[in-house]
């Protein structure tokens, strides 16, 4: 009897919140099949009615990074461009989702797992979490956009230190560097993180998507481009059912009573 191998990354739903879950014990390594499984999950999220996305992992650590055996196979095949050229587009697809995205990181989080986390809108981490883009140990630099996304959040000099040192950095340091949004006790990450994700999912989804478009404008062209994007994005919201219903609720019942359907 042939045993069916479980995908290393799977999709879960909890109401309006979708969770992409890395589960490839014991080290949650990114092998040859992990990126394909991740793409399948993103495909499903894009075609769903999910209103928030969580990226998390199971086990004692978040991930030990990429399985080095895959580097050896690519080296022997001489196909690095073909094998790794698609990594950044996967992270960009997460960034471009029109819903809030939240990474919940615990334990050790290396290389690919961190690069995907940096593609999320926000990162929460446990007090004991440690982070590293440690590709330098095998003579590489991050291939899925981790360097530039660290530079975007922490600044070029800190990104250079983070990547070139190949060291591990704790959650408190990365919170101070503006890479991590919030640090929580180890035993509270999943509970508090999912509660926050549900709060985002229950909110004005269309408006959250508009906020992301403005932030993307800022990321690509600074305040000037964001200023150009904002008026049109702002005006479009007046056609949403959520805004119409929330304005009516505000006028009739006061602030904080509206509910949102994501339309």
């Amino acid at each position: 009897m042939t045993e069916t191998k479980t995908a290393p990354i799977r999709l879960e739903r909890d109401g309006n919140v979708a969770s992409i879950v890395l589960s490839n014990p014991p080290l949650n390594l990114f092998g040859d099949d992990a990126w394909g499984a991740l793409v399948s999950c993103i495909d499903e999220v894009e075609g769903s009615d999910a209103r928030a996305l969580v990226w998390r992992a199971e086990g004692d650590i978040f991930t030990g990074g990429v399985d080095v055996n895959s580097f050896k196979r690519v080296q022997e095949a001489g196909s690095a461009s073909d094998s790794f050229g698609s990594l950044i587009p996967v992270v960009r697809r997460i960034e471009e989702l029109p819903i809030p995205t939240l990474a919940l990181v615990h334990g050790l989080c290396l290389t690919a797992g961190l690069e995907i986390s940096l593609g999320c809108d926000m990162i929460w981490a446990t007090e004991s979490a440690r982070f590293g883009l440690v590709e330098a140990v095998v003579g590489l630099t991050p291939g899925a956009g981790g360097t530039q996304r660290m530079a975007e959040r922490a600044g070029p000099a800190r990104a250079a230190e983070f990547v070139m040192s190949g060291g591990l950095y704790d959650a408190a340091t990365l919170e101070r560097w503006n890479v991590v949004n919030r640090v929580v006790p180890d035993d509270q990450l999943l509970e508090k993180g999912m509660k926050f994700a549900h709060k985002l999912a229950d909110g004005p989804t269309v408006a959250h998507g508009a906020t992301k478009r403005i932030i993307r404008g800022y990321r690509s062209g600074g305040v000037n481009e964001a200023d150009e994007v904002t008026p049109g994005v702002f005006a479009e919201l007046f056609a949403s059912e959520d805004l119409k219903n929330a304005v009516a609720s505000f006028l009739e019942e006061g602030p904080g009573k509206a509910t949102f359907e994501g339309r």
Side-chain angles (χ1 to χ4, degrees):
M1 181 176 179
T2 302
E3 182 178 348
T4 302
K5 184 179 180 181
T6 304
I9 298 176
R10 69 176 188 272
L11 186 68
E12 295 181 349
R13 279 294 294 264
D14 181 6
N16 290 329
V17 177
S19 295
I20 296 179
V21 184
L22 172 60
S23 182
N24 189 27
L27 299 176
N28 283 342
L29 295 180
F30 277 75
D32 296 334
D33 53 350
W35 287 97
L38 176 60
V39 168
S40 295
C41 291
I42 297 171
D43 288 342
E44 193 169 341
V45 172
E46 289 176 336
S48 76
D49 60 354
R51 293 170 58 188
L53 174 68
V54 167
W55 163 239
R56 66 178 184 86
E58 294 180 334
D60 293 334
I61 68 172
F62 196 94
T63 176
V66 176
D67 185 348
V68 177
N69 287 306
S70 64
F71 294 153
K72 182 175 177 60
R73 285 190 288 271
V74 169
Q75 185 181 39
E76 291 172 348
S79 59
S81 295
D82 294 337
S83 298
F84 297 113
S86 62
L87 302 188
I88 287 177
V90 174
V91 177
R92 290 181 70 95
R93 284 181 66 186
I94 294 174
E95 290 176 327
E96 292 166 3
L97 288 170
I99 57 176
T101 56
L102 173 66
L104 300 179
V105 179
H106 70 280
L108 184 66
C109 182
L110 301 181
T111 67
L114 176 52
E115 291 179 284
I116 295 165
S117 300
L118 289 167
C120 294
D121 298 321
M122 292 161 274
I123 301 173
W124 284 24
T126 60
E127 292 172 343
S128 66
R130 294 176 298 156
F131 300 80
L133 293 173
V134 296
E135 286 86 349
V137 73
V138 291
L140 279 172
T141 193
T147 302
Q148 51 268 44
R149 284 164 179 80
M150 280 294 298
E152 183 178 58
R153 294 181 184 228
R158 281 177 167 158
E161 175 192 335
F162 190 83
V163 175
M164 292 181 187
S165 72
L168 299 179
Y169 290 74
D170 60 31
T173 297
L174 292 196
E175 184 183 35
R176 179 167 53 86
W177 285 10
N178 295 322
V179 176
V180 168
N181 291 76
R182 194 173 303 186
V183 179
V184 300
D186 286 22
D187 61 350
Q188 298 178 21
L189 178 67
L190 187 58
E191 178 185 355
K192 289 190 173 182
M194 290 301 294
K195 183 177 180 180
F196 183 68
H198 277 285
K199 179 180 179 181
L200 294 172
D202 290 340
T205 314
V206 180
H208 291 334
T211 298
K212 293 187 65 163
R213 288 166 62 187
I214 293 169
I215 292 172
R216 282 201 300 273
Y218 172 79
R219 292 170 70 182
S220 63
V223 171
N224 286 340
E225 184 167 332
D227 284 348
E228 291 179 7
V229 169
T230 297
V233 169
F234 179 80
E236 288 174 5
L237 294 175
F238 283 85
S240 72
E241 292 181 27
D242 279 347
L243 184 142
K244 295 174 184 176
N245 294 337
V247 169
S249 173
F250 186 98
L251 294 175
E252 294 171 9
E253 304 177 58
K257 304 294 177 58
T259 57
F260 300 97
E261 301 297 328
R263 297 191 294 271

